[in-house]
């Protein structure tokens, strides 16, 4: 590493060291606010959390800070112009609401009374997502202190929503409505994780999702399986046949047209996945599962990160109680979710599923199919210059090689990518053991400050990247 | 018809005409007792019903009448020896309990206040099964009056159980325990129906049933379909694949060994079924279904009466609520019922299903399979001499040809056939419009008295049959 880099790293570290205690005190104050968006009686807390963050961002130095109301919980918006007319604009996304938590769920400490145990900060939201939002506040201050600037090297915008844990029901509309103010050259999403404490990684994509419920209707009421069994179509049997026809013998999705447009993994990406210290037995324990199973010709990591899927989330029909009841049920349903990867168009997939389902049902079975709003996949190309900035910033903080992962889940990042037309970069420092949505959620303090450092290094690097290739 | 037959028919009719009003008054009194075995608060009524019947059978002339207690509701047993040491013994089976009924279910009259509307007697139990049990009381008296006998031509036994509408949970044990007293050369079951008012028929068989629940277990808890989807086995998908594999492309049951031993329909039986005035559109309306569907190479009547089936009675797993939930469920289940026909052994079928299920599940999916107690199929061979007696007795009553049906459902008749080793004869005069288990249940008064007549003619004919071929 060059002398310049070294001095930048140490300047950032010095600043962080000086402000470490205050930063943790502030974060603890925020974590005490039980901003549980899914529980209506916590609505005032979610509003208080937004106001608290807005005040803190003003204190951080953002000249513009606003609380944006939605039909649900408020989001916080902040903006700090670079002053340089050539500087790119970067929008940071995170959320200030948290999952429900109660001591009796198995917490060793009060979930809303942050506790430092060893090198870990325990509290609901410590990792998901308040800790990861908050590291940017000290990050941008460290960036200014280390570079002697009075404003960030990029036009920095923050959008911290308040309903992510409730499915972001108003997020898309908010982004569409405020698209002009949110306009950015890149989006930085800090709501993901790394491979492990020892293996810093950058996530380069999330799968999208299309969900549907298919309801099949047979007899107008439940009928006697003795009197009529064997002679009329049974909607429970037919729904099972639909599900069985979802995959071929190679565990590939058998809906015609489903794979249209799929961006296949390159050999290089497969190699990069294979470089990760993946232990299948350990992964299975995390998955609480007893065998790996999936699309032929792909590894487990490829299957969960980079391959589209069709999964049954729920199936039902007929008698659900104890013992037996000799009926042919009147109706049956299946709830399916299709995870999508880059190149797949949710509308195209929805159409393909509709056609496929309709063609497979026999006479006498009527069906209805309902799709929930879909989420698009997002992918940061490995050679995207802005991704190299994230990797360099993270490399400085972690002082070592940075590898690549993806995320199998889906999130509102895709809405930002689509509505704003900007690439999404993932910057997260959480690790699988942090216990998102589980009791005893925590953040590793070392990693939290690596997040601060990465944030501090990122803005200058991104500005340089855009200067070289605007 | 010969002069002898004519005079027997008219003697029976004369006796019935004289006792018609009293018979209907008595039946109405019995129907007023709401002997609903499935509802615990009606347990005293079920006991009252047994006591009422016992008293009435004594009054009818049965020298031995007993109320048999069970761990559930009591049965009524009665016995009237012929006096002729060569006479065969015939056991009549029926039940004195009824389905639940309440005015607000859609009844036009009080279900437990019998009402004669036109030529129909409306009440819960009018057809199923009090009316059909009770016609034997006047039947045996008419038999005595018309023949001048002081005791029936056969040793007549009655077993009228009190739990048929609750699945006869104690019936098998009762029959096994009392097998010596119940010993008979033939069993007459009066708990079925005829094709229609215009087409008197004798049922010659009921299907058996083997029921099971198969539970599949995948992950130890519900897991996130984004994080893990596509890479572990999903028990809801697997349960659907099991169901889809139940049948082949000809809608035949694909469980190896399932058809072992099946007594195939003869050409003659198919012809007899085809002689019935079957109207598929009308049958579909009764089935509340919108298409016929089933095993290739068989008609609808063959499918429901004489072919074994596999039907899904219930299926479930994963999220059952509104909207979507992105999980891979921890478990899933299916409840299956297999209707069996003559020649199939329930234990053999159970074993075949166990092997079939176990072989089809992938690694990582554990399963449990539980069978309920099975019911065997029963079949009266068309050339059985006792069946000819029933046909002749019915022919005298209806003054016309008697055709043959079967019954797709299953019943405790098979237990009597198996434990007592006696052939089962079905003598029922109910018609499909009688509304078994439905509001406004009724019995056609004309048919009810044809039942009395048939009963009156049957005992002498059966005694003659045994005399010819003991």
């Amino acid at each position: 590493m060059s002398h310049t880099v070294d001095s930048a790293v140490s300047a950032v570290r010095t600043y962080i060291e000086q402000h470490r205690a205050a930063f943790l005190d502030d974060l603890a104050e925020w974590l005490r606010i039980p901003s549980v968006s899914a529980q209506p009686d916590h609505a005032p807390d979610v509003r208080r959390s937004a106001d608290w963050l807005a005040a803190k961002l003003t204190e951080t130095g953002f000249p513009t800070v606003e609380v944006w109301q939605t039909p649900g919980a408020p989001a916080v918006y902040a903006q700090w112009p670079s002053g340089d007319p050539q500087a790119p604009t970067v929008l940071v996304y995170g959320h200030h609401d948290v999952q429900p938590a109660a001591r009796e769920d198995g917490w060793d400490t009060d979930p809303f009374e942050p506790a430092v145990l060893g090198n870990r900060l325990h509290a609901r939201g410590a990792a998901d997502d308040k800790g990861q939002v908050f590291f940017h506040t000290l990050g941008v201050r460290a960036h200014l202190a280390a570079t002697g600037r009075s404003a960030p090297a990029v036009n920095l915008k923050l959008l911290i929503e308040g309903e992510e844990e409730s499915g972001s029901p108003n997020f898309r509309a908010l982004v569409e409505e405020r698209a002009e103010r949110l306009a950015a050259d890149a989006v930085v999403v800090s709501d993901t994780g790394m491979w492990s404490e020892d293996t810093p990684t950058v996530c380069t994509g999330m799968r999208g999702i299309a969900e549907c419920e298919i309801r099949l209707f047979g007899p107008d009421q439940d009928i006697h399986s003795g009197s009529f069994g064997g002679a009329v179509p049974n909607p429970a049997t037919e729904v099972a046949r639909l599900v069985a026809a979802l995959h071929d013998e190679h565990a590939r999705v058998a809906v015609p047209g489903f794979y249209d447009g799929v961006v296949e993994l390159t050999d290089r990406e497969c190699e990069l996945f294979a470089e990760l210290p993946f232990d299948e037995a350990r992964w299975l324990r995390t998955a609480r599962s007893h065998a790996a199973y999936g699309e032929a010709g792909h590894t487990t990591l490829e299957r969960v990160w980079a391959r589209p899927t069709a999964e049954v989330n729920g199936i039902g029909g007929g008698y659900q109680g104890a013992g037996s009841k000799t009926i042919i049920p009147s109706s049956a349903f299946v709830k399916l979710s299709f995870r999508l990867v880059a190149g797949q168009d949710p509308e195209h997939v929805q159409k393909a599923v509709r056609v496929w389902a309709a063609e497979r049902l026999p006479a006498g079975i009527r069906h209805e199919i309902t799709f929930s709003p879909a989420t698009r996949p997002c992918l940061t190309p490995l050679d995207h210059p802005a991704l190299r900035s994230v990797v360099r910033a993270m490399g400085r903080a972690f002082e070592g090689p940075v590898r690549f992962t993806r995320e199998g889940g889906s999130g509102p990042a895709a809405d930002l990518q689509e509505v704003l037309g900007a690439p999404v970069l993932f910057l997260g420092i959480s690790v699988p053991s942090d216990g998102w949505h589980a009791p005893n959620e925590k953040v590793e303090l070392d990693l939290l400050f690596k997040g601060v450092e990465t944030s501090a290094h990122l803005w200058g690097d991104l500005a340089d990247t855009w200067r070289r290739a605007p």
Side-chain angles (χ1 to χ4, degrees), chain A:
Chain A
M1 273 182 191
S2 74
H3 173 72
T4 324
V5 169
D6 278 347
S7 75
V9 167
S10 64
V12 161
R13 286 190 182 156
T14 303
Y15 184 85
I16 292 173
E17 204 48 54
Q18 290 162 352
H19 296 81
R20 177 184 170 100
F23 171 82
L24 288 177
D25 287 349
D26 285 345
L27 176 56
E29 197 173 290
W30 195 20
L31 291 168
R32 282 191 194 96
I33 303 173
S35 49
V36 181
S37 60
Q39 295 175 337
D41 43 329
H42 281 296
D45 296 316
V46 182
R47 288 195 295 273
R48 198 149 58 87
S49 164
D51 292 341
W52 185 96
L53 177 62
K56 192 53 63 180
L57 291 173
T58 301
E59 196 181 299
T60 300
F62 283 84
T64 302
V65 179
E66 298 170 14
V67 173
W68 286 356
Q69 304 303 329
T70 76
V76 178
Y77 174 76
Q79 177 176 336
W80 196 338
S82 159
D84 174 357
Q86 307 301 317
T89 301
V90 180
L91 173 68
V92 172
Y93 166 84
H95 61 91
H96 68 91
D97 62 321
V98 299
Q99 277 279 313
R103 186 79 190 246
E104 57 269 28
D105 296 341
W107 286 75
D108 297 327
T109 59
D110 183 333
F112 297 107
E113 185 48 60
V116 174
L117 302 175
N119 210 16
R120 296 167 165 186
L121 171 62
H122 288 263
R124 174 56 87 222
D128 176 21
D129 186 39
K130 285 174 175 169
Q132 302 206 85
V133 166
F134 206 57
F135 70 57
H136 286 293
T137 62
L138 185 54
V140 68
R141 298 283 342 159
H143 161 58
L144 300 182
T147 57
R149 302 180 57 99
S150 58
V154 299
N155 298 304
L156 192 58
K157 297 178 176 178
L158 262 65
L159 178 62
I160 312 300
E161 71 156 316
E163 298 188 304
E164 200 275 343
E165 302 294 3
S166 303
S168 302
N170 300 294
F171 186 69
R172 172 86 185 207
L174 183 74
V175 173
E176 286 178 345
E177 194 183 306
R178 312 275 186 148
E180 277 191 45
R181 295 199 63 194
L182 294 169
D185 297 295
V187 175
V188 170
V189 169
S190 285
D191 188 26
T192 54
M194 307 196 312
W195 179 263
S196 72
E197 290 85 333
D198 309 325
T199 307
T201 52
V202 174
C203 172
T204 62
M206 293 180 91
R207 293 195 286 194
I209 188 170
E211 292 163 285
C212 70
E213 177 168 336
I214 307 177
R215 296 197 82 91
L216 305 192
F217 302 92
D220 292 336
Q221 63 185 35
D222 293 350
I223 59 174
H224 195 280
S225 72
S227 306
F228 305 109
V232 295
N234 179 328
T237 307
E238 294 305 328
V239 87
R241 289 177 182 168
L242 263 190
V243 170
L246 264 179
H247 298 87
D248 68 15
E249 68 276 26
H250 306 296
R252 279 174 64 88
V253 178
V255 175
F258 179 75
Y259 288 96
D260 288 355
V262 163
V263 176
E264 298 289 338
L265 282 165
T266 63
D267 290 349
R268 178 70 189 133
E269 283 168 305
C270 291
E271 282 166 29
L272 288 170
F273 284 175
E275 280 175 14
L276 291 163
F278 176 73
D279 175 339
E280 189 152 275
R282 193 178 158 183
W283 181 86
L284 281 173
R285 283 195 296 278
T286 310
R288 309 296 302 270
S289 292
H290 304 280
Y293 175 91
E295 190 184 349
H298 289 281
T299 65
T300 291
L301 286 183
E302 290 165 20
R303 288 169 180 166
V304 291
W305 287 347
R307 298 302 301 170
T309 67
E311 290 285 359
V312 177
N313 307 123
I315 191 168
Y319 184 59
Q320 304 287 308
S324 60
K325 189 176 180 189
T326 50
I327 54 163
I328 294 174
S330 166
S331 67
F333 73 87
V334 63
K335 291 170 186 278
L336 300 174
S337 62
F338 298 90
R339 296 282 168 176
L340 308 179
V341 301
Q344 281 180 297
D345 172 27
E347 280 183 28
H348 179 78
V349 167
Q350 291 173 353
K351 202 174 295 178
V353 171
R354 276 183 204 281
V355 170
W356 166 84
E359 281 177 353
R360 298 197 67 88
L361 296 171
I365 297 285
R366 188 169 64 77
H367 79 292
E368 287 172 3
I369 179 163
T370 320
F371 279 90
S372 313
T375 300
R376 291 180 173 272
C378 57
L379 183 66
T380 325
L382 279 178
D383 57 0
H384 195 290
L387 179 63
R388 310 315 305 180
S389 290
V390 177
V391 169
R392 276 191 299 271
M394 209 166 185
R396 285 177 184 177
F398 284 88
E399 297 178 86
V402 174
R403 300 184 189 279
F404 297 92
T405 63
R406 291 201 200 173
E407 164 61 41
S410 313
D415 287 324
L416 293 166
Q417 182 187 45
E418 194 189 353
V419 177
L420 306 179
V424 167
L425 309 167
F426 294 92
L427 166 52
I429 51 77
S430 181
V431 287
S433 62
D434 282 353
W436 290 32
H437 300 201
N440 298 318
E441 179 179 346
K442 53 86 180 169
V443 68
E444 300 284 333
L445 290 177
D446 287 351
L447 298 183
L448 184 63
F449 287 102
K450 295 293 183 202
V452 177
E453 285 187 49
T454 304
S455 175
H457 296 302
L458 181 58
W459 315 122
D461 200 306
L462 280 175
D464 290 347
T465 292
W466 254 265
R467 203 166 296 122
R468 282 195 301 274

